[in-house]
Amino acid sequence: MPLPAALAAKLSKRGIIQGKQKSNEPNKKQDFKGSSTCPNKSNIYHECTLWCETHWKGVQTPDSKYFRNLQKLLVKYPLPSNWTEIFDKGTGRYYYWNMENDLVSWLPPKHPQSVKGQSAAKLRENRLKMKEREERMEKEKENEKREKERDRERERERERDRDRSSDEEERNHRRREREREREREKEREREERKRRREERHKKRKDEIDPMDPAAYSDIPQGGWSDGLENNKRADNTASGVLYQQRPYPAPGEVLAANKDKTKKDK
């Protein structure tokens, strides 16, 4: 069921509904003066609607007694040249309007109790402009607040990116350190193996018989029969206990055999 046109227009103006209810009133510029027959148009917080135009008939002519008293008042306090009187159909009374500065008064301007001021329409327009200005400023503040919040969020995101980058760099640094440590460990192991081989070689060399040429030269370690091709007495096939019982030639025989071999070669 559709809302009444006046109610729909008022709710739409207050922002409660947004264009869902279409008003039957024609689109026209807002009239701050209000309905001429509405008795409440002098209230700056009242906004005349179609209901005011259809329900308030107004007063077409002033009351005779009020008109006679008004004439007496004007005789006593005549209007200046720049002032004029206007009949208000909503209240059935006359008010006075200054055509130069747009001020109004319910009493003649020369009356001692006359209060001059802006009209209700002007005050209503100023109030609406001030309200719009406040809403605009509030919206700008809200936009500025959202922009600052977006800036803070972007700064937090950049900080998180820097933290992630720093963490990634730290992880890479630790990984490189572990790789270098493994390389150093491998190098130490190679050095240790090399040292052990040298120690074993040195120990083995220290255990050679001093009479063996390998003990004081670079030739490989051998037995007493090495180099004696015609030596048939040495048994080089025996092992174990028999190896210890093998007859070895005397060192003098080896030297003599080598000397004879050298002479034959010459």
Side-chain angles (χ1 to χ4, degrees), residues 36-204:
S36 60
T37 57
C38 178
N40 298 320
K41 65 179 180 293
S42 59
N43 183 359
I44 63 174
Y45 299 101
H46 173 75
E47 296 179 1
C48 291
T49 61
L50 183 63
W51 190 91
C52 297
E53 296 179 1
T54 56
H55 287 76
W56 295 112
K57 303 301 181 181
V59 180
Q60 301 300 322
T61 56
D63 181 69
S64 57
K65 183 178 180 180
Y66 165 75
F67 188 74
R68 286 195 300 270
N69 293 334
L70 180 63
Q71 293 299 321
K72 294 178 182 179
L73 191 64
L74 289 176
V75 171
K76 187 175 181 180
Y77 303 103
L79 293 178
S81 59
N82 57 340
W83 286 80
T84 183
E85 60 179 359
I86 301 175
F87 181 68
D88 182 14
K89 295 181 180 180
T91 59
R93 297 175 57 190
Y94 281 93
Y95 69 92
Y96 306 94
W97 173 47
N98 188 330
M99 296 177 291
E100 293 180 356
N101 53 23
D102 208 22
L103 296 178
V104 293
S105 173
W106 285 108
L107 294 174
K110 292 183 178 182
H111 195 281
Q113 296 182 0
S114 174
V115 178
K116 307 173 187 63
Q118 293 181 335
S119 64
K122 191 68 175 178
L123 293 174
R124 191 180 294 113
E125 182 180 1
N126 294 338
R127 184 180 65 86
L128 182 60
K129 288 181 179 180
M130 183 177 297
K131 182 179 178 181
E132 291 177 351
R133 185 167 59 252
E134 290 176 355
E135 291 177 352
R136 186 170 60 255
M137 293 176 63
E138 186 68 24
K139 187 175 180 180
E140 291 176 357
K141 289 181 180 180
E142 187 67 23
N143 293 335
E144 184 178 357
K145 183 179 179 181
R146 285 196 294 268
E147 185 64 27
K148 289 182 178 179
E149 183 63 28
R150 285 194 292 268
D151 292 340
R152 286 193 293 268
E153 182 62 28
R154 286 193 289 267
E155 183 62 28
R156 287 193 292 267
E157 185 64 26
R158 286 193 292 269
E159 186 67 25
R160 287 193 292 268
D161 292 339
R162 286 193 294 269
D163 292 341
R164 285 193 292 268
S165 177
S166 178
D167 294 341
E168 183 67 21
E169 184 177 354
E170 182 66 22
R171 285 193 294 270
N172 293 334
H173 177 69
R174 289 197 294 267
R175 185 173 62 254
R176 290 191 295 269
E177 284 294 329
R178 289 194 296 269
E179 291 176 355
R180 285 193 290 267
E181 185 63 27
R182 284 195 293 268
E183 290 295 330
R184 287 192 293 267
E185 185 66 25
K186 291 180 181 179
E187 184 64 25
R188 285 193 294 268
E189 291 178 358
R190 287 192 293 268
E191 292 292 336
E192 183 66 20
R193 287 195 297 269
K194 182 179 179 181
R195 185 184 62 81
R196 290 175 182 175
R197 285 195 302 269
E198 292 177 352
E199 288 180 354
R200 286 195 299 269
H201 179 68
K202 182 178 180 181
K203 185 177 180 181
R204 187 169 59 250

Side-chain angles (χ1 to χ4, degrees), residues 201 203-210 212-215 217-224 226 243:
H201 179 68
K203 185 177 180 181
R204 187 169 59 250
K205 191 172 183 180
D206 292 341
E207 293 176 352
I208 299 176
D209 190 344
D212 193 331
S217 64
D218 295 335
I219 63 174
Q221 184 180 1
W224 287 105
D226 290 345
Y243 180 79

Side-chain angles (χ1 to χ4, degrees), residues 1-18:
M1 180 177 179
L3 295 174
L7 179 60
K10 184 176 290 186
L11 294 178
S12 177
K13 193 169 186 179
R14 293 182 179 180
I16 299 176
I17 60 175
Q18 297 181 357

